[in-house]
Amino acid sequence: MTVKPALRHAIGVFDSGVGGLTVLQALRRRMPHRDFVYLGDTARVPYGRKPPEMVVEFAGGITRFLCNMGVEGLVVACNTASAVALPGLVELGPVPVWGVIDPGVEAATRATRTGSVGVIGTKATIASGAYQRRLEQRGLCVWAQACPMLVHLVEEGLAESPEAALLVRHYLSGRPRIDTLVLGCTHYPLLRGVLQREAGKDVTLVDSAEVTAERVEATLGSPPRCFVQGRVLHFVTGDPMAFAHTARVMGGVNGEIVPLALSELATPSAVHPVDRRAQPAWQE
Ligand code: DGL
């Protein structure tokens, strides 16, 4: 059992990997005196290619874990989990819970001049139609594209590689004329350089980070003034060294990194008794 750390006015933040750190950075800029508990579920990344019900289960276990740490609010810094699991997490959490889809939609609505926008995200996010529906409800014309390989590049620290440029060119090749591109995956801001070069300088790239941080601060407010910088605790289900490396490549992300066993995130419903009769002979 993980020991509950001593935290001051902490906010929980999670993602399948390092992508949510882009949201964490925006939250810390706005609320430097709060503590943050970040959970990177790197043992199970990517979420974007998994069935929605699996992502719902992962997100539920993480929400319980972070709420047990005593956080005052929870940010689902993952578009995939926000797209498929948010309503259930809002019910589950005893604290306010924010997703990143609505903030991304708001950022796009603020940015577009012509009303033609694109959105890129994981397979699950794009298949859910979560962005498309909301953007169209605001009267915008939407082009959507799943980019399943990009998360791997970021997790491997290859955001500035020739391979990244090649894949981004491939994914953006079918786009119509758009003036705004929503980075509908929290890993993608780490590819901003290559995305901007491929999309062209006339296209405004937007992501959810700033608007999410704005909303969280508006609801939770700032803790009483103090001169001590808040601390960040990172729980990581996969290789802590790989997480530390990518976080360093991203720049500006520091804090303690604690390995976390997946069993700590198992939800009661996820533990099924083994039915021996159902096992194939080769397992006997
Ligand atoms: N960063 C996440 C998102 O915003 C998840 C990517 C993945 O694990 O596939 O969708």
Coordinates of all heavy atoms in Angstrom, one line a residue, residues 16 46-50 78-81 83 120-128 131 145-149 151 184-188:
S16 N -2.0 8.9 -19.6 CA -1.4 7.6 -19.9 C 0.1 7.7 -19.8 O 0.8 6.7 -19.7 CB -1.8 7.2 -21.2 OG -1.4 8.1 -22.2
P46 N -0.2 3.1 -25.0 CA -1.2 4.2 -25.2 C -2.6 3.8 -24.9 O -3.0 2.7 -25.1 CB -1.0 4.4 -26.8 CG -0.8 3.1 -27.3 CD 0.0 2.3 -26.2
Y47 N -3.3 4.8 -24.4 CA -4.8 4.6 -24.2 C -5.6 4.6 -25.5 O -6.6 4.0 -25.6 CB -5.3 5.6 -23.2 CG -5.0 5.5 -21.8 CD1 -4.2 4.5 -21.3 CD2 -5.6 6.4 -20.9 CE1 -4.0 4.4 -19.9 CE2 -5.4 6.3 -19.5 CZ -4.6 5.3 -19.0 OH -4.3 5.2 -17.7
G48 N -5.0 5.4 -26.4 CA -5.8 5.7 -27.6 C -6.1 4.6 -28.5 O -6.9 4.7 -29.4
R49 N -5.4 3.4 -28.3 CA -5.7 2.3 -29.2 C -6.4 1.2 -28.4 O -6.6 0.1 -28.9 CB -4.4 1.7 -29.8 CG -3.7 2.7 -30.6 CD -2.5 2.1 -31.2 NE -2.9 1.1 -32.2 CZ -2.4 1.1 -33.5 NH1 -1.5 2.0 -33.8 NH2 -2.8 0.2 -34.3
K50 N -6.8 1.5 -27.2 CA -7.5 0.5 -26.4 C -9.0 0.7 -26.4 O -9.5 1.8 -26.7 CB -7.0 0.6 -24.9 CG -5.5 0.5 -24.8 CD -5.1 -0.1 -23.5 CE -3.7 -0.6 -23.5 NZ -2.6 0.2 -24.1
C78 N -5.8 14.0 -20.2 CA -5.8 13.0 -21.2 C -7.1 13.1 -22.0 O -8.2 13.0 -21.5 CB -5.7 11.6 -20.6 SG -5.8 10.3 -21.8
N79 N -6.9 13.5 -23.3 CA -8.1 13.6 -24.1 C -8.9 12.3 -24.3 O -10.1 12.3 -24.3 CB -7.7 14.2 -25.5 CG -7.3 15.6 -25.5 OD1 -8.1 16.5 -25.7 ND2 -6.1 15.9 -25.2
T80 N -8.1 11.2 -24.4 CA -8.8 9.9 -24.6 C -9.7 9.6 -23.4 O -10.8 9.2 -23.6 CB -7.7 8.8 -24.8 OG1 -6.8 9.3 -25.8 CG2 -8.3 7.5 -25.3
A81 N -9.1 9.7 -22.2 CA -9.9 9.4 -21.0 C -11.0 10.4 -20.9 O -12.1 10.1 -20.4 CB -9.0 9.4 -19.8
A83 N -12.6 11.9 -23.3 CA -13.6 11.6 -24.3 C -14.5 10.4 -23.9 O -15.7 10.4 -24.2 CB -12.9 11.3 -25.7
I120 N -6.8 16.9 -34.4 CA -6.0 15.7 -34.4 C -6.0 15.1 -33.0 O -6.0 15.8 -32.0 CB -4.6 15.9 -35.0 CG1 -3.8 17.0 -34.3 CG2 -4.6 16.2 -36.5 CD1 -2.4 17.1 -34.7
G121 N -6.0 13.8 -33.0 CA -6.0 13.1 -31.7 C -5.8 11.6 -31.8 O -5.4 11.1 -32.9
T122 N -6.0 10.9 -30.7 CA -5.8 9.4 -30.8 C -7.0 8.8 -31.5 O -8.0 9.5 -31.8 CB -5.7 8.8 -29.4 OG1 -7.0 9.0 -28.8 CG2 -4.6 9.5 -28.6
K123 N -6.8 7.5 -31.9 CA -7.9 6.8 -32.6 C -9.2 6.9 -31.7 O -10.3 7.2 -32.3 CB -7.5 5.4 -32.8 CG -6.8 5.1 -34.0 CD -6.8 3.6 -34.3 CE -6.2 3.4 -35.7 NZ -5.9 2.1 -36.1
A124 N -9.1 6.6 -30.4 CA -10.2 6.6 -29.6 C -10.9 8.0 -29.5 O -12.1 8.1 -29.5 CB -9.9 6.1 -28.2
T125 N -10.1 9.0 -29.3 CA -10.7 10.4 -29.2 C -11.4 10.8 -30.5 O -12.5 11.2 -30.4 CB -9.6 11.4 -28.9 OG1 -8.9 11.0 -27.7 CG2 -10.1 12.8 -28.8
I126 N -10.8 10.5 -31.6 CA -11.4 10.9 -32.9 C -12.6 10.0 -33.1 O -13.7 10.5 -33.5 CB -10.4 10.8 -34.1 CG1 -9.2 11.8 -33.8 CG2 -11.1 11.1 -35.4 CD1 -9.6 13.3 -33.7
A127 N -12.5 8.7 -32.8 CA -13.7 7.8 -33.0 C -14.9 8.2 -32.1 O -16.0 8.0 -32.5 CB -13.3 6.4 -32.8
S128 N -14.6 8.8 -31.0 CA -15.7 9.1 -30.0 C -16.5 10.3 -30.6 O -17.6 10.5 -30.2 CB -15.1 9.5 -28.7 OG -14.5 10.8 -28.7
Y131 N -14.8 15.8 -29.9 CA -14.4 17.2 -30.4 C -15.4 17.6 -31.5 O -15.9 18.8 -31.6 CB -13.0 17.2 -30.9 CG -12.0 17.5 -29.9 CD1 -11.2 16.6 -29.3 CD2 -11.9 18.9 -29.4 CE1 -10.3 16.9 -28.3 CE2 -10.9 19.2 -28.4 CZ -10.1 18.2 -27.9 OH -9.2 18.5 -26.9
Q145 N -8.7 14.0 -37.8 CA -7.8 13.0 -38.2 C -7.1 12.3 -37.0 O -6.6 13.0 -36.1 CB -6.7 13.7 -39.1 CG -5.5 12.7 -39.5 CD -6.0 11.6 -40.4 OE1 -6.7 11.9 -41.4 NE2 -5.6 10.4 -40.1
A146 N -7.2 11.0 -36.9 CA -6.5 10.2 -35.9 C -5.0 10.1 -36.3 O -4.7 9.9 -37.5 CB -7.1 8.8 -35.8
C147 N -4.1 10.2 -35.3 CA -2.7 10.2 -35.6 C -2.1 9.2 -34.6 O -1.3 9.6 -33.7 CB -2.1 11.5 -35.4 SG -2.8 12.9 -36.3
P148 N -2.4 7.9 -34.7 CA -2.0 6.9 -33.6 C -0.5 6.8 -33.3 O -0.1 6.4 -32.2 CB -2.6 5.6 -34.1 CG -3.0 5.8 -35.6 CD -3.2 7.3 -35.8
M149 N 0.4 7.1 -34.3 CA 1.8 6.9 -34.1 C 2.5 8.0 -33.3 O 3.6 7.8 -32.8 CB 2.5 6.7 -35.4 CG 2.2 5.5 -36.2 SD 2.7 4.0 -35.3 CE 4.5 4.1 -35.4
V151 N 1.9 9.5 -30.4 CA 2.2 9.3 -28.9 C 3.5 8.5 -28.7 O 4.3 8.9 -27.8 CB 1.0 8.6 -28.3 CG1 1.3 8.1 -26.9 CG2 -0.2 9.6 -28.2
G184 N -5.6 17.7 -30.1 CA -6.6 17.0 -29.3 C -6.0 15.8 -28.6 O -6.6 14.8 -28.4
C185 N -4.7 15.9 -28.2 CA -4.0 14.9 -27.4 C -3.0 15.6 -26.6 O -2.2 16.4 -27.2 CB -3.4 13.8 -28.3 SG -2.3 12.7 -27.4
T186 N -2.9 15.4 -25.3 CA -2.0 16.2 -24.5 C -0.5 15.9 -24.8 O 0.4 16.6 -24.4 CB -2.3 16.0 -23.0 OG1 -2.2 14.6 -22.7 CG2 -3.6 16.6 -22.7
H187 N -0.2 14.8 -25.6 CA 1.2 14.6 -26.0 C 1.6 15.6 -27.2 O 2.8 15.8 -27.4 CB 1.3 13.2 -26.6 CG 1.5 12.1 -25.5 ND1 0.4 11.7 -24.7 CD2 2.5 11.4 -25.1 CE1 0.8 10.8 -23.9 NE2 2.1 10.6 -24.1
Y188 N 0.6 16.0 -27.9 CA 0.9 16.7 -29.2 C 1.6 18.1 -29.0 O 2.4 18.5 -29.9 CB -0.3 16.8 -30.1 CG -0.9 15.5 -30.6 CD1 -2.1 15.5 -31.3 CD2 -0.2 14.3 -30.3 CE1 -2.6 14.3 -31.7 CE2 -0.8 13.1 -30.7 CZ -2.0 13.1 -31.4 OH -2.5 11.9 -31.9

